[in-house]
Amino acid sequence: DTAVSQTPKYLVTQMGNDKSIKCEQNLGHDTMYWYKQDSKKFLKIMFSYNNKELIINETVPNRFSPKSPDKAHLNLHINSLELGDSAVYFCASSPAQLAGGPGDTQYFGPGTRLTVL
Amino acid sequence: GNSVTQMEGPVTLSEEAFLTINCTYTATGYPSLFWYVQYPGEGLQLLLKATKADDKGSNKGFEATYRKETTSFHLEKGSVQVSDSAVYFCALTFLNAGGTSYGKLTFGQGTILTVHP
C-alpha cells in the first residue's frame, strides 16, 4: 500500500548512457513532481505535471524529458548522462493545485540515487 | 524571487535538549510555509505547515509559528530524542498573481540534526 513508489532505488551507469526512472502514486492525486537533491542535500524542483499536462518546467537541460502516461505515473528519462547528473531524484504528488490550495501537502517517494561514472 | 534561508548546520544536541532551527523567507504574494523532515535513507515527510500569518503548525512535539512581520518560520521542540536525528527542510509555496500556486515548493538548504543519547 505504498503511496508514492519509485524504481529503481539505485542506478549506477556510465557517462553518455540513457536511463529512465519510474514513479507511481496510488493516492489519486492530480499533480506529480520531480525534484533533484544534490550531494549537499539541496532540493530543487525540476518538473510538475497536473493531469498529464506539464505545468512547471524549471531550467533543466533538455536531456531530461518527463513523461506522464496517466495521472498516476510520471517517469523521468535522461539522455546522454553526465557526471553532474549524479544526485538523488525524488518523485512527489499532491492534490490538484490549479485552483489554488498552496497549503496542500506533497507526498514524496523514497528517492532514486543515480550515480554516473 | 522567492527564497528560503535556514540556519547553517549541522546541529548536534544531547537527548532532551531544546531545539531551534531558524528559517526566514523572501516571497511575493502570500506564501504557505512548511517544515519537511528526511530521515536517513528515506524520502521527505511533511512535519508541519502554516498557511497564513500567525498560524502555528505543530506535530510530534515540534512547533513553528508563521511570523509575517519578521518573515520567519522557526522550528522548535522542547525536548529532542535520538529518533529526531534527520535532515529538516523549511519550504514555501505561494500564490502568484493569477491566484494559483501549482504547488511549487521552494526549499531551504536543509539542516542536519544529530541527537546523542
Side-chain angles (χ1 to χ4, degrees), chain B residues 2 27 30 35 37 43 46 56 60 68 75 81 83 112 114 117:
Chain B
N2 303 299
Y30 306 96
W35 278 100
V37 58
L46 178 71
K56 177 187 282 188
K60 300 181 181 179
K68 191 175 180 182
L75 182 69
Q81 306 299 313
S83 57
I112 300 172
T114 303

Side-chain angles (χ1 to χ4, degrees), chain A residues 9 31 33 35 37 40-45 48 55-56 58 88 90 94 97-111, chain B residues 4 30-32 34 36 38 41-46 49 51 87 89 93-95 99-110 112:
Chain A
K9 189 168 175 63
T31 307
Y33 311 82
Y35 290 87
Q37 185 176 45
K40 296 183 179 178
K41 302 288 188 186
F42 186 69
L43 272 157
K44 187 170 168 54
I45 191 166
S48 174
I55 56 173
I56 295 175
E58 294 292 288
V88 181
F90 287 101
S94 69
Q97 294 291 334
L98 288 181
D104 282 341
T105 299
Q106 292 188 21
Y107 295 81
F108 284 76
Chain B
V4 177
Y30 306 96
S32 291
F34 305 80
Y36 278 83
Q38 183 179 23
E42 298 183 12
L44 279 74
Q45 306 173 22
L46 178 71
K49 68 181 181 183
T51 57
V87 184
F89 293 92
T93 59
F94 64 100
L95 284 173
T100 59
S101 75
Y102 301 128
K104 174 182 170 181
L105 274 169
T106 298
F107 286 94
Q109 66 269 41
I112 300 172

Side-chain angles (χ1 to χ4, degrees), chain B residues 29-95:
Chain B
Y30 306 96
S32 291
L33 302 172
F34 305 80
W35 278 100
Y36 278 83
V37 58
Q38 183 179 23
Y39 297 104
E42 298 183 12
L44 279 74
Q45 306 173 22
L46 178 71
L47 181 59
L48 53 85
K49 68 181 181 183
T51 57
K52 61 182 187 296
D54 300 324
D55 270 1
K56 177 187 282 188
S58 60
N59 185 26
K60 300 181 181 179
F62 291 89
E63 292 183 341
T65 301
Y66 188 147
R67 301 281 187 207
K68 191 175 180 182
E69 63 275 14
T70 54
T71 61
S72 65
F73 193 55
H74 304 321
L75 182 69
E76 296 182 337
K77 185 174 185 181
S79 176
V80 293
Q81 306 299 313
V82 172
S83 57
D84 293 327
S85 298
V87 184
Y88 291 81
F89 293 92
C90 187
L92 65 81
T93 59
F94 64 100
L95 284 173

